[in-house]
């Protein structure tokens, strides 16, 4: 990614004995894992000169999003305690910050989704939909199967919450309003 390519050309001396188990060499060399971690490492290379700083930025974003996410569900003191605990947990020499395997990218996507959910569903602040979509993208680009299961669970909870909190007439009015917006 840092070189502006999605894949690398095959090595000129490539043969079967040089093939790596985690690299797909033909027709081009590329990673087999999801691109979220590589994207943050690329950001570290481009912005700071080394991939490690992209991981540090990722962990910092994860801790910050934990505060924002918990503020949607609880008060600010609880959110601050959760964020401080997470910061103390993810400091070096933790596995997620001292390796390129990580897991903070999946946690970042989950925090973005969990923070947007109460703001959208309970408080009807629809401006947070873009943060929810960013959380969906990060979740699917980091852990696609786990992320999809998590997203489906939140969608089911959202529909259930709408069903319980609104009358049928209000739901029909929201649907009609949405349809009329699309036709304009």
């Amino acid at each position: 990614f840092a070189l502006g390519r999605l894949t690398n050309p095959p090595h000129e001396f490539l043969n079967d004995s040089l093939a790596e188990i985690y690299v797909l060499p033909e027709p081009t060399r590329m990673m087999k894992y999801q691109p979220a971690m590589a994207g943050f490492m690329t950001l570290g290379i481009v912005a700071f000169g080394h991939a490690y700083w992209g991981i540090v930025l990722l962990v910092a974003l994860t801790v910050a999003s934990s505060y924002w996410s918990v503020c949607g569900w609880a008060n600010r003191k609880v959110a601050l305690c959760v964020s401080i605990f997470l910061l103390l947990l993810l400091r070096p020499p933790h596995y997620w910050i001292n390796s390129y395997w990580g897991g903070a990218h999946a946690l970042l996507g989950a925090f973005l989704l969990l923070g947007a959910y109460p703001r959208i569903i309970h408080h009807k602040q629809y401006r947070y939909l873009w943060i929810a979509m960013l959380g969906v993208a990060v979740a699917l680009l980091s852990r696609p199967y786990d992320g999809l299961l998590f997203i489906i669970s939140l969608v089911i909870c959202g529909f259930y919450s709408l069903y319980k909190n609104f009358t049928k007439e209000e739901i029909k009015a929201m649907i009609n309003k949405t349809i009329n917006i699309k036709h304009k």
Side-chain angles (χ1 to χ4, degrees), residues 6-11 14 23-31:
L6 293 178
T7 65
N8 291 318
H11 196 275
L14 181 70
V23 177
L24 305 174
E26 293 183 35
T28 60
R29 288 178 30 228
M30 61 184 288
M31 64 183 176

Side-chain angles (χ1 to χ4, degrees), residues 7-44:
T7 65
N8 291 318
H11 196 275
E12 59 189 56
F13 299 114
L14 181 70
N15 61 32
D16 289 337
S17 64
L18 296 176
E20 301 170 14
I21 191 169
Y22 295 110
V23 177
L24 305 174
E26 293 183 35
T28 60
R29 288 178 30 228
M30 61 184 288
M31 64 183 176
K32 75 172 192 176
Y33 295 107
Q34 289 73 29
M37 185 61 92
F40 279 102
M41 290 181 356
T42 300
L43 182 63

Side-chain angles (χ1 to χ4, degrees), residues 83-97 107:
S83 297
I84 289 172
F85 174 75
L86 190 64
L87 180 65
L88 293 174
L89 179 71
L90 295 180
R91 74 189 191 298
H94 191 271
Y95 174 72
W96 282 4
I97 200 164
L107 189 59

Side-chain angles (χ1 to χ4, degrees), residues 45-87:
I45 291 170
V46 171
F48 305 110
H50 197 278
Y52 176 77
W53 297 111
I55 306 303
V56 171
L57 178 65
L58 170 63
V59 171
L61 285 173
T62 302
V63 170
S65 69
S66 73
Y67 176 79
W68 179 79
S69 176
V70 176
C71 278
W73 296 95
N75 62 31
R76 292 182 180 188
K77 289 181 183 178
V78 172
L80 186 62
C81 289
V82 168
S83 297
I84 289 172
F85 174 75
L86 190 64
L87 180 65

